[in-house]
Amino acid sequence: MKALLCKEFGMPDTLVLEDLPALKAEAGKIVISIKACSVNFPDTLIIRNLYQFKPALPFSPGGEVSGIVKEVGEGVKHLKVGDKVFAMTGWGGMAEEVLVDARRVFPMLPKMDFVTAASVMYNYGTSYHALKDRAELKAGETLLVLGAAGGVGLAAVELGKLMGATVIAAASSDEKLAICREKGADYTINYTNDDLREKIKSITEGKGVDVIYDAVGDKYTEPALRSIAWKGRYLVVGFAAGEIPKIALNLALLKGCAIVGVFWGQFAEKEPAQNFKNIQELAGYFMKGSLRPHIHKLYSLAEAAISLNDLMNRKVVGKAVVVMSDDVQMPSYEVAQTSKQEIKPVAQVSKVGEMLIFKDLVTLKNHIGKELGTSDWQTITQDKINVFAAATLDDQWIHVDEEKAKFSPFGKTIAHGFLSLSFSPKFMYEMFKVESAKMGLNYGTNKVRFISPVPVDSRVRMKATLKDVEDMQPNGAKLIIDAVFELEGSEKPACVAELLSVVYE
Ligand SMILES: NC(=O)c1ccc[n+]([C@@H]2O[C@H](COP(=O)([O-])OP(=O)(O)OC[C@H]3O[C@@H](n4cnc5c(N)ncnc54)[C@H](OP(=O)(O)O)[C@@H]3O)[C@@H](O)[C@H]2O)c1
């Protein structure tokens, strides 16, 4: 097998392409036939002996790969030969094969191509952890991303939009910023030409930004931190521009802000369950098509050193990927789109996952007449029917006597009419929230009509529309919501109702 080898520490030009014997699996490890290996910033450090991990010479750089399982070692249960996989290898990926600890190897998502699979974990894993767990970014907040056209930066732009933030992308050229706009940036700053502080001030009308994602450090950090909003969160992600800045701590005091460290690798080690949850959420976004990496260019293994040089020379936008054969091609979703920069107001209503987030009651009022959403399905089990019967003291045989109900027109027990309706608070919490709300209460129904019987083990869900919002003094509002409780597989709903909620700010 061919491998690009680092035989002595140095710049990418010192790497050599050589033929090596095929790899053999070991206990707990897997040999992957590599299809694609993405290029990450640590690859440029590890070959110069500047990275925190120091593999013995000779080794191949390349920490994130996708491919096909070629051999599994003893004790590996979750994968088999032939499976399509992606893996975080640390190094060894710029080669035709890699031997990797099975715990770092994951099955590829259905329909995902090799180039995408090799390009998502590091960038999106880091940026999602940063924005979600460390900054607790909220819909409607402003997010500034420095180095926004880089690997982690562009992922932060996309995720920031998905989380409902107004995103300001800062990068060194207009070409790079055009791609940030394609990925959803609302505003852009060319920090080669523009004064970072002045631009932030004018975009935020003097308020400053709520969250700053800094993967570049150096001379960019201080003006950015000086532009943070009161109670802002400054994310320390990396120092791609070279210098680790030394910041006077009085800035944090004056801004009432938090300077927050981000170390995704350690987070994954120390909090595996939370990291796994994040990865699952990201997988959901990829399956839905809400996230798509920007692939800068594909390089052959013989050109892998050029890809590292390009990254070091700030030529790469998004992700550079080394592919091991010609049949691995550029993913088709990477069709360039042109979009003009628009000056948009700070997002008032946004969607995170499937949930609608309203900034305040005024925003909610603007939504009158529009859909609030559709809940997840809820299965009506016999247990739920029994609990409901016990609570309401309504234990008519049609609800609880499974034997007798077999001879009824429905052939099985049916749920109490009010049972589906009783899920409305749960369903509503899944659909939307008002950020400014200090208190809310789902307290009743104006009218309800039961239409179809709900047999045991069927599934219901709620579709809701905001019919009206009435002011309530002081600082409150009554929400009138039209709800349809759909019954899976039936044209007619289980019931329709007009629901009432109150919200106080
Ligand atoms: N904390 C963590 O858990 C974590 C995880 C992943 C990555 N990181 C760190 O985040 C940083 C960015 O990683 P990445 O993979 O996104 O790298 P990347 O794709 O190379 O992006 C870095 C960006 O930094 C900007 N930059 C400014 N000055 C630069 C210089 N002198 N040399 C290179 N780039 C410069 C470039 O954009 P412009 O040309 O537009 O300025 C470039 O797009 C690295 O320091 C990396 O180690 C940290």
Side-chain angles (χ1 to χ4, degrees):
M1 68 116 179
K2 287 194 167 23
L4 186 76
L5 289 181
C6 173
K7 296 178 113 177
E8 56 186 52
F9 295 113
M11 296 300 276
D13 308 338
T14 60
L15 299 168
V16 285
L17 191 62
E18 288 195 0
D19 268 314
L20 296 180
L23 298 175
K24 288 261 134 229
E26 295 168 10
K29 295 189 177 177
I30 288 178
V31 177
I32 301 173
S33 262
I34 299 174
K35 291 283 185 185
C37 171
S38 66
V39 187
N40 290 312
F41 201 81
D43 305 331
T44 68
L45 301 175
I46 207 165
I47 58 169
R48 291 179 288 160
N49 203 17
L50 297 175
Y51 197 48
Q52 64 229 43
F53 299 114
K54 300 184 187 296
L57 294 169
F59 68 92
S60 298
E64 192 179 12
V65 304
S66 65
I68 296 175
V69 175
K70 188 187 167 209
E71 256 185 61
V72 292
E74 204 189 313
V76 175
K77 296 271 185 286
H78 71 298
L79 291 164
K80 58 180 188 323
V81 172
D83 283 351
K84 291 180 173 180
V85 290
F86 66 102
M88 299 298 293
T89 57
W91 55 88
M94 291 193 181
E96 286 175 334
E97 292 178 3
V98 65
L99 176 68
V100 54
D101 186 325
R103 289 170 299 181
R104 292 168 158 260
V105 186
F106 308 92
M108 267 169 54
L109 291 177
K111 295 189 191 155
M112 195 176 255
D113 61 279
F114 287 115
V115 171
T116 307
S119 306
V120 293
M121 188 89 155
Y122 172 87
N123 286 346
Y124 291 93
T126 301
S127 294
Y128 197 41
H129 166 55
L131 298 177
K132 180 187 160 192
D133 305 319
R134 305 302 284 135
E136 296 179 8
L137 178 69
K138 294 181 197 64
E141 287 192 315
T142 43
L143 166 69
L144 168 70
V145 183
L146 301 175
V152 293
L154 207 50
V157 169
E158 260 189 289
L159 285 164
K161 277 315 287 177
L162 200 66
M163 294 165 89
T166 294
V167 177
I168 307 168
S172 62
S173 75
D174 290 344
E175 294 72 30
K176 288 186 173 188
L177 290 169
I179 291 169
C180 296
R181 284 197 291 276
E182 279 174 22
K183 288 289 176 195
D186 300 277
Y187 302 92
T188 54
I189 302 176
N190 179 332
Y191 50 44
T192 311
N193 302 335
D194 298 331
D195 182 296
L196 197 53
R197 281 192 75 186
E198 282 307 315
K199 275 296 258 192
I200 297 171
K201 204 169 170 183
S202 82
I203 290 169
T204 62
E205 292 169 353
K207 271 176 54 194
V209 266
D210 298 309
V211 173
I212 297 178
Y213 182 104
D214 182 0
V216 292
D218 208 302
K219 62 181 181 189
Y220 305 96
T221 299
E222 191 180 323
L225 182 58
R226 285 186 185 277
S227 309
I228 203 162
W230 178 246
K231 284 192 178 172
R233 284 87 75 207
Y234 195 98
L235 296 168
V236 182
V237 182
F239 313 104
E243 280 296 309
I244 299 177
K246 297 186 178 44
I247 291 292
L249 275 182
N250 67 321
L251 279 180
L253 180 153
L254 292 170
K255 298 286 179 179
C257 72
I259 298 175
V260 189
V262 176
F263 191 171
W264 178 59
Q266 277 299 298
F267 163 72
E269 287 284 320
K270 288 183 186 291
E271 298 175 57
Q274 182 59 31
N275 184 48
F276 185 64
K277 189 166 177 285
N278 285 0
I279 301 296
Q280 279 182 316
E281 286 170 15
L282 287 171
Y285 292 133
F286 278 104
M287 303 271 280
K288 278 200 287 185
S290 319
L291 293 174
R292 291 285 178 243
H294 177 85
I295 307 299
H296 174 72
K297 189 174 156 188
L298 302 186
Y299 301 75
S300 67
L301 185 55
E303 297 165 331
I306 303 174
S307 72
L308 290 164
N309 261 326
D310 284 354
L311 196 78
M312 289 174 78
N313 293 322
R314 301 163 78 170
K315 288 186 184 159
V316 173
V317 179
K319 206 72 165 170
V321 181
V322 176
V323 293
M324 304 309 151
S325 56
D326 292 345
D327 60 327
V328 184
Q329 306 226 327
M330 191 69 120
S332 55
Y333 58 78
E334 283 301 326
V335 179
Q337 296 166 11
T338 44
S339 69
K340 284 203 177 115
Q341 181 176 355
E342 288 172 27
I343 306 296
K344 295 180 190 155
V346 170
Q348 300 289 305
V349 188
S350 54
K351 237 181 180 178
V352 177
E354 287 304 306
M355 190 184 245
L356 272 182
I357 315 270
F358 297 98
K359 196 170 156 60
D360 50 29
L361 286 174
V362 177
T363 324
L364 185 74
K365 274 191 166 181
N366 292 337
H367 204 74
I368 292 172
K370 294 186 192 154
E371 271 196 17
L372 288 168
T374 306
S375 74
D376 287 338
W377 289 105
Q378 183 67 223
T379 306
I380 306 297
T381 60
Q382 188 62 48
D383 273 357
K384 286 176 186 149
I385 298 176
N386 292 346
V387 169
F388 197 87
T392 56
L393 306 179
D394 173 3
D395 55 359
Q396 296 183 70
W397 65 267
I398 192 62
H399 304 311
V400 294
D401 190 333
E402 293 173 71
E403 282 310 308
K404 198 168 168 186
K406 280 183 190 159
F407 303 101
S408 74
F410 313 107
K412 44 170 94 167
T413 54
I414 57 167
H416 301 70
F418 284 98
L419 177 50
S420 310
L421 190 69
S422 71
F423 284 107
S424 58
K426 172 184 160 47
F427 287 155
M428 264 194 270
Y429 282 126
E430 285 171 11
M431 273 179 214
F432 73 96
K433 85 172 180 197
V434 182
E435 286 220 305
S436 59
K438 292 206 174 69
M439 204 166 42
L441 190 64
N442 298 309
Y443 72 92
T445 36
N446 263 346
K447 41 193 168 184
V448 59
R449 204 152 59 85
F450 298 106
I451 296 172
S452 291
V454 179
V456 64
D457 294 330
S458 51
R459 301 203 303 165
V460 294
R461 68 177 180 185
M462 187 174 100
K463 248 190 183 147
T465 303
L466 184 62
K467 186 176 181 188
D468 204 0
V469 179
E470 294 171 5
D471 286 332
M472 286 177 73
Q473 297 306 325
N475 307 329
K478 179 156 91 179
L479 282 49
I480 301 160
I481 295 162
D482 274 336
V484 178
F485 292 78
E486 294 180 331
L487 179 62
E488 195 176 34
S490 161
E491 276 182 17
K492 290 186 183 168
C495 69
V496 291
E498 193 176 277
L499 308 174
L500 301 174
S501 285
V502 284
V503 174
Y504 289 100
E505 286 184 315

